[in-house]
């Protein structure tokens, strides 16, 4: 069998089985009408495969199949609507203060909250501020000091609404995720 005959034979078998992708199926169907040898090969495969169809009992879908499919689609759509990915190279850095840059990762108008990636360069100061809302810090790298409080990579800190932070000074620089009010 030559390579061309083998290819024709496989395509004829796949057409008889109904497993060709749509574009290949269309091309094979057109070829079926134009190439008598190919049409004969498809007919031969249909005869060979016919006993398989007789041996297979029809499968009845369960009563709840449609509901399960719809629920699965709904969960995927919900996850897609709730999920968001921002790649490291995406988004715009905003100069918050000299040596302190922020990138908004997400905002939720309904909860009036936002997530911010904060990058503080070595020796820079994060300005003192009051908290109009709870402010959460998760340190990714480096360190930052607010008065006696020093936060290191892996530390979590929450400053409650109404509290005050003095200047945050980072001797070696840091990166953190900050979740705060809009």
């Amino acid at each position: 069998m030559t390579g061309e005959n083998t290819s024709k034979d496989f395509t004829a078998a796949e057409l008889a089985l109904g497993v060709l992708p749509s574009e290949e199926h269309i091309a094979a169907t057109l070829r079926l009408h134009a190439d008598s040898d190919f049409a004969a090969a498809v007919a031969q495969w249909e005869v060979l495969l016919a006993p398989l169809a007789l041996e297979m009992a029809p499968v009845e879908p369960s009563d709840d199949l449609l509901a399960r499919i719809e629920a699965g689609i709904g969960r995927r759509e919900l996850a897609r609507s709730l999920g968001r990915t921002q790649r490291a190279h995406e988004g715009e850095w905003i100069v918050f203060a000299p040596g302190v840059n922020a990138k908004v990762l997400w905002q939720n108008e309904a909860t009036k909250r936002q997530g911010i990636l904060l990058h503080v360069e070595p020796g820079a100061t994060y300005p003192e501020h009051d908290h109009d809302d709870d402010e959460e810090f998760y340190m990714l790298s480096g360190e930052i000091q607010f008065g006696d409080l020093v936060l290191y990579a892996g530390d979590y800190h929450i400053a409650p609404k109404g509290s005050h932070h003095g200047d945050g000074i980072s001797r070696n620089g840091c990166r953190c995720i900050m979740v705060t009010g809009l």
Side-chain angles (χ1 to χ4, degrees):
M1 214 183 250
T2 65
E4 183 181 318
N5 288 340
T6 304
S7 175
K8 182 190 299 186
D9 199 43
F10 284 138
T11 303
E14 291 171 323
L15 182 62
L17 284 168
V19 296
L20 286 171
S22 62
E23 290 178 11
E24 292 178 39
H25 179 71
I26 293 167
T29 302
L30 293 172
R31 184 174 169 199
L32 184 66
H33 299 292
D35 182 345
S36 60
D37 290 339
F38 182 70
V42 172
Q44 185 179 11
W45 275 109
E46 288 172 342
V47 169
L48 290 170
L49 296 170
L52 292 176
L54 296 174
E55 292 175 14
M56 294 175 24
V59 176
E60 292 294 321
S62 62
D63 292 337
D64 67 337
L65 180 60
L66 181 59
R68 289 190 348 237
I69 291 170
E70 288 173 338
I73 291 170
R75 281 192 300 272
R76 263 184 269 153
E77 288 174 355
L78 178 62
R80 216 174 292 137
S81 71
L82 295 177
R84 181 176 188 281
T85 299
Q86 182 169 321
R87 304 289 179 199
H89 66 276
E90 296 174 337
E92 181 180 331
W93 286 100
I94 301 161
V95 176
F96 184 72
V100 180
N101 299 303
K103 184 191 303 189
V104 176
L105 301 174
W106 60 269
Q107 291 183 326
N108 184 324
E109 291 292 332
T111 62
K112 303 289 188 219
R113 303 284 290 161
Q114 64 182 339
I116 297 170
L117 176 60
L118 197 64
H119 176 79
V120 181
E121 295 175 8
T125 299
Y126 182 82
E128 72 173 304
H129 57 283
D130 294 319
H131 296 109
D132 297 332
D133 205 338
D134 291 345
E135 182 177 275
E136 300 174 73
F137 267 82
Y138 180 76
M139 296 294 293
L140 301 174
S141 64
E143 52 70 34
I144 192 165
Q145 182 172 355
F146 294 96
D148 294 337
L149 174 66
V150 182
L151 300 173
Y152 299 99
D155 288 348
Y156 169 83
H157 172 72
I158 184 166
K161 178 179 180 176
S163 64
H164 176 82
H165 264 151
D167 286 339
I169 301 168
S170 183
R171 290 177 297 137
N172 301 314
C174 71
R175 274 214 175 177
C176 66
I177 301 286
M178 181 172 64
V179 178
T180 188
L182 287 175

